Amino acid sequence: MVYTPAEIRTLTPVRKNVEKRASKPDLRDVFLCHAWDDRKGIAKELHDLLEAKGVSVWFSEKDVLLGSNLMREIDKGLAKSRIGIVMVTPSFLKRIAGEGVADKELSALLSTDLLVPIVHDTTYEDLRDVSPLLGSRSGLDTAEDPIGNVASKLAELVAL
């Protein structure tokens, strides 16, 4: 796997935190933050690719049961995950501007060094226009790396 210098700078502190949290029991490898509109598209595709690589993923589509309190389940998912990944798409940019659930997940993730943004079908420039804090973090970009390679890098990042 080949990493850019920016990816190395971004992923190194996340990796150190993964290693620190390795001894905590019952943690998922990844919390997948995404826009509702992406749940059957790119978010599901990334989820499936990660799970095929042996990565345990907290994904609202499978982890929030019908009738349960969505925000409480998200809160538990965030607490029980080694890292958070944010699938940044045009739909996500619209959602965080509207201060919905994705915005609340993002706020929690921004307070940690456990966050990896993944830009898909948009740009970091567009992201910075909506969320300067998230846009200031480099991450992975599907315009530069196919989603399969992104999944491989994430799997390598959380491997213990």
Side-chain angles (χ1 to χ4, degrees):
M1 194 60 44
V2 177
Y3 294 86
T4 67
E7 289 173 344
I8 292 169
R9 281 192 305 277
T10 297
L11 299 177
T12 297
V14 176
R15 176 61 190 183
K16 287 179 182 171
N17 277 311
V18 166
E19 291 168 357
K20 283 181 197 172
R21 296 170 59 105
S23 63
K24 292 189 177 193
D26 302 326
L27 290 184
R28 298 278 179 98
D29 294 318
V30 170
F31 179 96
L32 177 53
C33 175
H34 62 90
W36 177 255
D37 300 342
D38 296 324
R39 72 190 185 284
K40 293 183 179 177
I42 191 63
K44 174 80 166 109
E45 182 178 354
L46 180 59
H47 165 269
D48 293 348
L49 287 167
L50 288 169
E51 288 215 328
K53 294 179 181 306
V55 175
S56 60
V57 181
W58 191 96
F59 186 51
S60 57
E61 301 315 298
K62 71 168 196 237
D63 290 298
V64 177
L65 301 175
L66 189 61
S68 60
N69 181 310
L70 177 63
M71 291 311 296
R72 183 61 194 126
E73 292 301 314
I74 288 170
D75 195 39
K76 288 192 270 184
L78 286 164
K80 294 269 188 194
S81 298
R82 285 190 172 81
I83 70 167
I85 56 176
V86 179
M87 180 57 66
V88 180
T89 64
S91 295
F92 183 84
L93 296 177
K94 288 178 195 165
R95 292 284 180 171
I96 61 172
E99 299 181 5
V101 172
D103 181 60
K104 289 174 178 55
E105 291 173 351
L106 177 59
S107 294
L109 290 168
L110 280 169
S111 68
T112 70
D113 270 338
L114 302 170
L115 170 65
V116 179
I118 301 165
V119 175
H120 177 76
D121 285 345
T122 190
T123 65
Y124 273 95
E125 185 176 311
D126 291 339
L127 175 56
R128 283 188 289 276
D129 288 344
V130 176
S131 176
L133 286 173
L134 182 58
S136 70
R137 297 184 184 213
S138 57
L140 304 171
D141 188 339
T142 61
E144 297 172 8
D145 236 352
I147 193 70
N149 287 357
V150 167
S152 293
K153 288 178 179 181
L154 291 168
E156 189 172 90
L157 179 67
V158 299
L160 297 173

